[in-house]
């Protein structure tokens, strides 16, 4: 008996030999967790102090009880995209997306039906109106093809007009539409000439109709969040902002398809130049118009406009007081006259927001825009403030500044580090959607110009932007890129074009709303813009 | 050669150390907020990467896999650490490690940017731990130092 007992005791000891170590593990893990938790709590407390709002913006409804009839003028690359944003895609395109971009097609199919129909289409290239009719015919309804924008604008069967033509024609069409009491969605840049900016603003104000300018990046969640960050003074006094465009492919350099397989007769050239120029038929001017000042505005109108409006959407700083710009043609020596590398410096000496320093150090800001069509390195936009720097791409990073006044205490006790982000936000996280296909598409996506995410679902931002316009027409609510924001965009783009072309500093007189070019007395602005 | 108590003691210590490793990995994952296997699975490389990616992208499956991994680690860890159901714990641990190995295999030409602290070719720490567990499964260490001694009785021949 004794012997059996002895063995049993030893068995128990040997059986449970590791239990004390289990206790040790429990104790050590507990301590480790506490340290981790405390430092996490410190970070959460700090984030709570920053109080950055990352809630989704209100999702507007596009639909309404009454069917809205739309007309579209200009159905090229952008016009086609706008039709898609409205819910109309060509069957061939749909097949192509099914093969090559199934996730984008999915996003398209999930778009809200806004109860709109296309009743009028107008384009100077017949092939495009043919395609548009095929895309927009539904349930026995077919849009009417108009030969001139005037007839389309005057048609009683149209409530609102979408304009996606060459820059040259934006304002004449918008004016005709407003005159006939139609609402207007207009692509950027708002205008081609300076005189048009004033004219269009007046016409919109007098008509009481809704104008939305096509800066769809305003719909991005990250932009809304960035706005909140700036307004809450997280970055302190912002004194320098750097933004950019980099693209390095033919499409990004406006070398668009010229449809050589279609005869010249299918293009209404006379109407294209009517009232402006006397130039013989030229396919380059018709299809690749962005490369020529006569019809487009190059980098300034096509891409600086987006970059500027993005910053204006976040900082709401308005028109710069001074603009200096320069550029050249360094890659695409194909006969174009607009630069393919450009930089523009915009001065806002009176810019002032929430700040943390003593008075006297809180005013003035420079916005630097640089662009290359010969390199596609992705550069995030940087907002540099006294207390921190915000990097904005598809996502948002905020880094505290080592010399910050507002975060001094936190920096001193090492609860935050200048090299480490104090805030990171990625609206697309959790939604593993790969919608980026080509280099230029990648550029668009990084600048918030392609897709955004709502509840983990990819949504085309153009769809949201045009939906906001439709919503404004139905409810009377002011759209986010109205004529007021458009006025600022147009003036700024024109200043940049003039500064680039003349090599002189361009000044804006805010009080009198007048432009001046350094060293030039009474310049003919409109003439300078198109030559 | 004989299985001596001394040799079994050292093998038991080895088993407990692997148990400690599993257990702590499991505890950390359970206690971190919102831990999922997503990052690990989505960065998978090699010939089975599409399988591991598909586990990550399906939300329901991902939740299940994450749960299984967290509690699998804890249970296997306890089994090895306490020496209870030792052989089955060794097999289960080896199987889990096989998944880890295949999810991020150190094969020729595969470059890992994240989560790798050394340089490996074919043999990595997962594989070494896996083989160690196979070796341990061949010895009745739980019946020597472990709860198996109380459940199944001590090894008679020693």
């Amino acid at each position: 008996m004794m012997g059996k007992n002895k063995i049993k005791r030893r068995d128990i000891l040997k059986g449970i030999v590791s239990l004390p170590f289990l206790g040790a593990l429990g104790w050590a893990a507990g301590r480790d967790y506490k340290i981790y938790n405390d430092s996490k709590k410190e970070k959460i407390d700090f984030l709570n102090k920053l109080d950055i709002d990352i809630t989704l913006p209100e999702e507007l409804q596009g639909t309404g009880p009454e069917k809205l009839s739309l007309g579209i003028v200009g159905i090229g690359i952008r016009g086609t995209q706008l039709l898609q944003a409205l819910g109309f895609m060509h069957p061939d395109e749909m097949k192509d997306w099914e093969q090559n971009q199934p996730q984008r097609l999915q996003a398209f199919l999930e778009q809200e039906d806004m109860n709109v129909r296309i009743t009028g289409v107008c384009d100077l290239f017949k092939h495009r109106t043919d395609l548009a009719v095929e895309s927009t015919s539904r349930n026995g309804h077919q849009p009417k093809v108009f030969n001139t924008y005037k007839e389309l604008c005057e048609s009683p069967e149209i409530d609102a007009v979408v304009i996606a033509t060459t820059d040259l024609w934006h304002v004449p069409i918008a004016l005709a539409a407003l005159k006939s009491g139609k609402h207007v969605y207009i692509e950027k840049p708002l205008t081609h000439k300076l005189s048009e900016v004033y004219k269009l603003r007046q016409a919109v104000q007098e008509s009481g109709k809704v104008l939305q300018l096509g800066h769809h990046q305003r719909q991005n969640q990250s932009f809304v969040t960035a706005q909140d960050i700036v307004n809450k003074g997280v970055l302190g006094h912002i004194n320098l902002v750097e933004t950019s465009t980099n693209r390095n492919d033919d499409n990004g350099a406006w070398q668009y398809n010229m449809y050589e397989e279609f005869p010249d007769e299918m293009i209404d050239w006379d109407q294209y130049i009517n009232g402006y120029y006397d130039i013989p038929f030229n396919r380059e001017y018709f299809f690749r118009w962005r490369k020529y000042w006569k019809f487009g505005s190059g980098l300034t109108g096509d891409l600086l406009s987006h970059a500027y409006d993005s910053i204006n959407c976040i900082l709401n700083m308005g028109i710069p007081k001074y603009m200096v710009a320069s550029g050249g043609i360094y890659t695409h020596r194909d006969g174009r006259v607009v630069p393919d590398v450009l930089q523009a410096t915009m001065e806002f000496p009176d810019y002032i927001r929430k700040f943390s320093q003593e008075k006297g150090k809180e005013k003035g800001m420079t916005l630097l825009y640089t662009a290359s069509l010969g390199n596609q390195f992705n550069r995030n936009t940087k907002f540099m403030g006294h207390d921190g720097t915000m990097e904005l791409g598809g996502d948002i990073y905020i880094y505290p500044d080592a010399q910050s006044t507002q975060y001094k205490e936190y920096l001193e006790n090492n609860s935050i580090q200048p090299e480490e982000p104090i805030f990171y936000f990625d609206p697309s996280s959790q939604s593993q959607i790969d919608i980026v296909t080509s280099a230029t598409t990648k550029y668009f996506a990084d600048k918030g110009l392609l897709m955004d995410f709502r509840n983990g679902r990819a949504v085309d931002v153009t769809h949201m932007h045009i939906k906001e316009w439709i919503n404004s027409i139905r409810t009377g609510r002011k759209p986010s890129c109205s004529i007021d924001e458009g006025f600022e965009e147009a003036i700024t783009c024109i200043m940049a074009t003039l500064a680039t072309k003349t090599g002189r500093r361009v000044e804006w007189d805010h009080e009198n709303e007048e432009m001046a070019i350094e060293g030039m007395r009474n310049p003919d602005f409109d003439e300078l813009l198109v030559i | 050669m004989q299985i001596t108590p001394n040799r079994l003691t050292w093998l038991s210590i080895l088993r407990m150390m692997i148990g400690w490793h599993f257990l702590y990995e499991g505890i950390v994952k359970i206690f971190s907020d919102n831990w999922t296997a997503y990052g690990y699975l989505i960065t998978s490389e090699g010939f089975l990467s599409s399988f591991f990616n598909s586990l990550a992208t399906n939300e329901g499956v991902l939740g299940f896999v994450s749960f299984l991994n967290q509690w699998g680690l804890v249970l296997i860890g306890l089994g090895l650490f306490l020496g209870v159901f030792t052989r089955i714990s060794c097999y289960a641990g080896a199987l889990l490690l096989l998944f880890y190995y295949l999810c991020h295999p150190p094969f020729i030409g595969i470059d890992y940017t994240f989560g790798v602290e050394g340089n490996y070719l074919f043999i990595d720490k997962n594989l070494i731990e896996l083989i160690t567990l196979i070796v341990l499964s061949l010895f009745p260490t739980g019946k020597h130092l472990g709860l198996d001694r109380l459940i199944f009785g001590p090894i008679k021949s020693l």
Side-chain angles (χ1 to χ4, degrees):
Chain A
M1 284 301 278
M2 280 290 284
K4 209 180 172 188
N5 267 344
K6 215 172 161 184
I7 293 164
K8 248 191 166 173
R9 213 174 299 136
R10 190 205 287 163
D11 284 344
I12 290 169
L13 281 176
K14 289 199 169 180
I16 61 166
V17 67
S18 55
L19 270 179
F21 295 101
L22 189 63
L25 174 67
W27 175 81
R31 262 201 75 77
D32 200 49
Y33 184 63
K34 189 181 174 312
I35 292 170
Y36 160 80
N37 232 8
D38 287 353
S39 99
K40 203 171 115 186
K41 201 176 156 293
E42 218 171 70
K43 285 197 181 94
I44 289 171
D45 284 350
F46 183 75
L47 268 179
N48 284 341
K49 190 182 124 62
L50 294 183
D51 187 31
I52 296 166
D53 186 5
I54 54 163
T55 50
L56 292 166
E58 165 198 10
E59 202 159 351
L60 296 171
Q61 224 187 13
T63 191
E66 271 175 44
K67 203 170 256 309
L68 208 60
S69 299
L70 308 178
I72 180 165
V73 189
I75 321 160
I77 298 170
R78 191 58 190 157
T80 304
Q81 289 166 350
L82 291 173
L83 283 179
Q84 285 166 8
L86 284 163
F88 303 92
M89 193 188 288
H90 195 272
D92 294 346
E93 183 86 345
M94 211 177 288
K95 269 184 216 132
D96 180 68
W97 281 29
E98 209 175 335
Q99 286 288 311
N100 302 316
Q101 308 185 68
Q103 277 118 334
R104 265 184 94 181
L105 180 65
Q106 186 61 28
F108 169 77
L109 294 172
E110 284 171 7
Q111 276 178 194
E112 186 199 340
D113 180 348
M114 296 184 276
N115 198 18
V116 296
R117 61 175 175 184
I118 308 296
T119 44
V121 295
C122 176
D123 195 285
L124 300 178
F125 178 31
K126 194 178 168 298
H127 172 60
R128 284 179 171 160
T129 47
D130 291 346
L131 288 177
V133 169
E134 286 166 20
S135 314
T136 59
S137 297
R138 289 273 164 86
N139 313 324
H141 163 80
Q142 224 186 346
K144 192 174 167 194
V145 178
F146 290 90
N147 289 326
T148 68
Y149 72 84
K150 279 200 181 108
E151 291 166 90
L152 182 143
C153 290
E154 284 163 7
S155 163
E157 268 150 55
I158 288 169
D159 303 315
V161 179
V162 176
I163 303 168
T165 60
T166 53
D167 299 353
L168 174 68
W169 287 101
H170 282 181
V171 173
I173 299 168
L175 290 175
L178 291 164
K179 200 175 148 201
S180 305
K182 321 282 193 219
H183 304 278
V184 171
Y185 184 96
I186 187 166
E187 263 309 320
K188 49 80 208 176
L190 186 69
T191 75
H192 193 228
K193 300 188 187 69
L194 181 60
S195 59
E196 293 174 336
V197 192
Y198 305 97
K199 256 187 245 167
L200 183 58
R201 183 174 62 174
Q202 197 185 348
V204 173
Q205 285 166 348
E206 284 171 5
S207 72
K209 296 293 161 191
V210 180
L211 178 140
Q212 170 97 303
L213 174 62
H215 286 303
H216 47 289
Q217 78 283 354
R218 282 181 174 255
Q219 304 297 329
N220 275 273
Q221 161 81 62
S222 53
F223 282 74
V224 179
T225 305
Q227 240 170 25
D228 190 59
I229 289 166
V230 168
N231 290 341
K232 287 189 173 139
V234 172
L235 307 176
H237 165 48
I238 297 167
N239 47 76
L240 178 61
V241 178
E242 241 182 51
T243 184
S244 55
T245 302
N246 288 52
R247 310 203 298 201
N248 196 10
D249 58 333
D250 283 349
N251 185 55
W254 315 308
Q255 289 295 84
Y256 302 139
N257 185 359
M258 295 212 286
Y259 296 90
E260 306 279 7
E261 68 275 27
F262 292 92
D264 297 357
E265 293 72 45
M266 282 181 79
I267 298 164
D268 188 348
W269 175 256
D270 290 341
Q271 206 185 146
Y272 189 61
I273 55 164
N274 184 31
Y276 287 108
Y277 311 114
D278 186 14
I279 338 174
F281 181 80
N282 184 326
R283 247 172 218 268
E284 272 267 330
Y285 282 173
F286 190 81
F287 289 106
R288 298 177 174 178
W289 52 272
R290 287 193 196 276
K291 291 158 51 182
Y292 307 97
W293 298 119
K294 281 186 167 57
F295 303 95
S297 333
L299 275 166
T300 46
D302 190 27
L303 296 161
L304 178 142
S305 57
H306 271 318
Y308 163 80
D309 184 73
S310 301
I311 310 298
N312 197 26
C313 157
I314 294 164
L315 300 184
N316 197 20
M317 74 288 174
I319 301 166
K321 173 94 178 126
Y322 304 108
M323 169 85 70
V324 175
S326 70
I329 303 162
Y330 303 135
T331 299
H332 303 278
R333 292 193 175 86
D334 52 13
R336 69 179 61 203
V337 295
V338 302
D340 59 12
V341 174
L342 181 102
Q343 71 163 3
T345 314
M346 296 159 239
E347 303 297 342
F348 301 85
D350 298 320
Y351 174 80
I352 181 163
R353 290 295 180 277
K354 209 171 170 183
F355 56 93
S356 60
Q357 291 159 284
E358 70 267 33
K359 269 194 178 295
K361 290 183 170 179
E362 78 291 6
K363 214 166 84 168
M365 185 261 292
T366 294
L367 167 58
L368 178 67
Y369 170 77
T370 58
S372 168
L373 298 182
N375 169 286
Q376 64 183 50
F377 184 74
N378 175 39
R379 295 182 285 165
N380 286 337
T381 300
K382 293 185 194 76
F383 297 78
M384 292 167 248
H386 169 71
D387 294 304
T389 300
M390 170 166 70
E391 265 197 88
L392 177 68
D395 43 17
I396 298 175
Y397 285 90
I398 299 175
Y399 299 88
D401 196 274
Q403 304 304 322
S404 160
T405 306
Q406 165 173 193
Y407 307 126
K408 195 162 187 262
E409 191 191 320
Y410 296 91
L411 287 158
E412 269 168 8
N413 67 24
N414 286 325
S415 54
I416 59 171
Q417 313 285 337
E419 311 80 32
E420 284 172 22
I422 48 173
F423 176 83
Y424 170 68
F425 175 60
D426 176 9
S428 70
S429 65
Q430 300 301 323
S431 63
Q432 310 308 325
I433 298 165
D434 183 21
I435 35 127
V436 179
T437 47
S438 75
T440 294
T441 315
K442 170 100 177 82
Y443 160 77
F444 278 126
D446 285 330
K447 295 292 177 201
L449 292 166
L450 193 64
M451 288 281 179
D452 197 32
F453 301 89
R454 290 288 185 275
N455 307 318
R457 200 159 57 80
V459 198
D460 181 348
V461 281
T462 303
H463 166 68
M464 285 193 275
H465 200 56
I466 211 158
K467 182 151 86 174
E468 193 193 62
W469 176 59
I470 303 270
N471 176 279
S472 296
I473 293 173
R474 292 191 194 277
T475 64
R477 176 184 177 280
K478 195 178 181 229
S480 62
C481 205
S482 72
I483 188 65
D484 299 329
E485 290 78 15
F487 184 86
E488 295 174 342
E489 179 257 38
I491 295 291
T492 306
C493 291
I494 285 172
M495 285 172 82
T497 307
L498 289 171
T500 313
K501 292 182 82 172
T502 62
R504 292 163 188 266
R505 189 165 85 155
V506 179
E507 187 176 344
W508 177 250
D509 176 349
H510 281 87
E511 217 166 293
N512 300 309
E513 296 199 319
E514 278 173 9
M515 202 178 285
I517 304 176
E518 201 172 47
M520 290 175 88
R521 199 169 292 170
N522 300 323
D524 184 339
F525 295 105
D526 288 357
E527 177 67 11
L528 278 171
L529 285 164
V530 301
I531 50 165
Chain B
M1 199 162 93
Q2 268 194 327
I3 304 177
T4 63
N6 186 33
R7 286 174 183 167
L8 271 181
T9 300
W10 283 105
L11 284 172
S12 301
I13 291 171
L14 180 61
R15 188 203 71 217
M16 287 178 212
M17 287 169 73
I18 295 178
W20 178 297
H21 180 211
F22 269 70
L23 189 53
Y24 187 67
E25 282 282 11
I27 289 172
V28 165
K29 287 174 179 61
I30 286 167
F31 279 91
S32 4
D33 301 333
N34 309 319
W35 180 88
T36 72
Y38 179 81
Y40 193 79
L41 295 170
I42 205 76
T43 54
S44 173
E45 295 271 6
F47 66 105
L48 285 176
S49 64
S50 56
F51 163 70
F52 287 110
N53 289 167
S54 71
L55 297 181
T57 43
N58 183 317
E59 215 163 291
V61 175
L62 178 67
F64 182 65
V65 169
S66 302
F67 176 84
L68 220 59
N69 187 50
Q70 286 168 317
W71 289 99
L73 281 167
V74 168
L75 287 180
I76 293 164
L78 280 174
L80 294 172
F81 195 68
L82 299 174
V84 57
F85 306 118
T86 312
R87 187 178 296 176
I88 196 91
S89 297
C90 285
Y91 290 151
L95 184 69
L96 201 54
L97 286 164
L98 181 68
F99 280 126
Y100 297 163
Y101 180 78
L102 293 174
C103 188
H104 290 91
F107 293 167
I108 293 171
I110 300 182
D111 224 4
Y112 295 103
T113 325
F114 299 107
V116 175
E117 88 289 15
N119 300 290
Y120 306 102
L121 187 62
F122 296 115
I123 312 301
D124 65 5
K125 291 177 192 174
N126 283 329
L127 192 61
I128 295 168
E129 202 168 25
L130 189 162
I131 299 298
T132 311
L133 283 179
I134 305 253
V135 171
L136 285 172
S137 74
L138 302 174
F139 295 90
T141 60
K143 289 182 183 173
H144 177 62
L145 289 180
L147 289 175
D148 280 347
R149 187 176 185 124
L150 300 178
I151 299 169
F152 304 108
I155 306 156
K156 303 226 164 53
S157 55
L158 285 176

